[in-house]
Amino acid sequence: MSSIYEYIKMAVHNIMANKGRSFLTMLGIIIGIASVIAIVSIGEGTKNQMNSEINDAGGGQIFINVSSDAQTDDEWILPDDIEAVRALDGVEGVSISESYEGETMTGKGDFKLYVTAEGQDAKLINNVTMKHGVYFGESEVTEGKNVCVLSDTDAKRLFGTDDVVGMSLDITCYGLTKSFRICGVTTQKENGAFVSYTYEGMPIYINVPYTSMDDFTGNMDYFYSMTVQADKKMDSQKIADDVVALLEKRHQSSGKEYFQVQSFQDMLKSMNDMMGMVTAFISFVAGISLLVGGIGVMNIMLVSVTERTREIGIRKSLGAKTTSIMLQFLAEAAILTAIGGIIGIMVGVAGGYGICTIISASMGMTITPGISVSTILAATLFSCVVGIFFGIYPARKAAKLSPIEALRRN
């Protein structure tokens, strides 16, 4: 133990004796470690923010579509299917969503509409907050009432105010015009950094009970798709499997793949995988500087061996073992890279917070760097491994010097 302490003491002494050269040697390690930690932390922070926004927009949602084979065989999602799915464990709500193009005219002018026909759980599925009035529910859907819901932004575009509950809106679709009473106005969500709810020039969106569209379409008894809101605390994949199993049982279509599923978690996982691949690739590129830094350590250690040849010769002539000489130079290389790694970690953490702060301020959001203990430990371990790996050759060269040959050199 005392000999190891001596090696470390000698290594620190030699490093301090050449401060400038030692710092330049560590610079490559510092840059490499700092770059990897900053990139990983920013990538994790961005991914966490994106997941939070997307989960808020539609976490736990499962989308069921009727396949082309099912359509050919005249198999569709029926109102009774929706009620059966709603009764499953873990299902909080079910709604259909059929969109139609229409138009309307108010005192503010003519407007193009997108009329969305929905079920009784539309408010839950759409994850909206009411500003005025109420969203239509089971009674309005069952009775096919001509009511509608729109956002406060669209209300202001149509009428110049969002206090429009009780007012009528004439909707023209397929050449037929019907009057709908506005029963509710939703609060327009603020756009996040990754989820946008509005865009310039977007049309007016009106939500109505699907049964109120019978006069326009002639038939609203079957649907192409439906959206299931699953309990976010439960396994959405299991719930999706239960929904498909129930639909196949009701339509006697087991094995025919009539009902195609895409869960919100699947889409989120795909995006996270893509983000992870991008972060890993950039980290790999940044990590190349660690290789460059390691080569720098080896070069400086070779110079140190040359400069201290006479010292090595004296130590060996006094009985120092080859192993002792080798450990001395390995300790110096390891300490250089360890110090560089520690500095790099501090710079990387500070850089991650600094860059995230700049991004947050410029984009009007909050991104917190995802700095994990495992990343820091991995960076520290890697920097030490680099020092030992690239210090082996200079250390072996020093250890193999002949005492006589070493003493003859100036």
Side-chain angles (χ1 to χ4, degrees), residues 8 82 96-97 266 326 374 378:
I8 295 174
I82 294 175
I96 60 98
S97 180
D266 290 338
M326 186 172 179
S374 59

Side-chain angles (χ1 to χ4, degrees), residues 185-196:
V185 177
T186 62
T187 299
Q188 179 65 55
K189 291 184 178 181
E190 294 184 4
N191 290 333
F194 305 99
V195 178
S196 178

Side-chain angles (χ1 to χ4, degrees), residues 153-273:
T153 303
D154 288 339
K156 290 176 182 177
R157 291 170 64 188
L158 289 172
F159 301 102
T161 177
D162 58 27
D163 189 10
V164 295
V165 173
M167 296 176 63
S168 295
L169 182 67
D170 293 332
I171 297 177
T172 300
C173 190
Y174 297 131
L176 176 67
T177 300
K178 285 179 62 176
S179 180
F180 284 76
R181 180 179 63 85
I182 301 173
C183 65
V185 177
T186 62
T187 299
Q188 179 65 55
K189 291 184 178 181
E190 294 184 4
N191 290 333
F194 305 99
V195 178
S196 178
Y197 300 96
T198 59
Y199 60 89
E200 190 67 26
M202 67 186 297
I204 304 291
Y205 284 88
I206 305 293
N207 303 82
V208 302
Y210 73 85
T211 47
S212 68
M213 294 297 292
D214 282 343
D215 292 338
F216 292 114
T217 63
N219 185 10
M220 286 295 290
D221 292 335
Y222 58 89
F223 313 105
Y224 168 76
S225 65
M226 70 175 174
T227 303
V228 177
Q229 178 64 56
D231 187 339
K232 294 181 182 180
K233 296 188 289 293
M234 297 180 66
D235 184 359
S236 59
Q237 185 58 55
K238 180 183 181 303
I239 296 174
D241 293 339
D242 291 343
V243 170
V244 171
L246 176 63
L247 292 174
E248 288 182 344
K249 180 180 178 180
R250 291 179 59 85
H251 290 262
Q252 298 179 357
S253 59
S254 179
K256 295 183 180 181
E257 298 184 355
Y258 276 175
F259 303 101
Q260 299 175 338
V261 179
Q262 185 175 33
S263 73
F264 199 83
Q265 296 303 318
D266 290 338
M267 294 188 288
L268 194 60
K269 183 177 182 300
S270 297
M271 287 188 285
N272 286 339
D273 289 344

Side-chain angles (χ1 to χ4, degrees), residues 28-29 31-33 35-36 284-294:
I29 302 295
I31 293 172
I33 295 293
S35 299
V36 171
F284 173 76
V285 174
I288 293 176
S289 60
L290 283 172
L291 178 63
V292 176

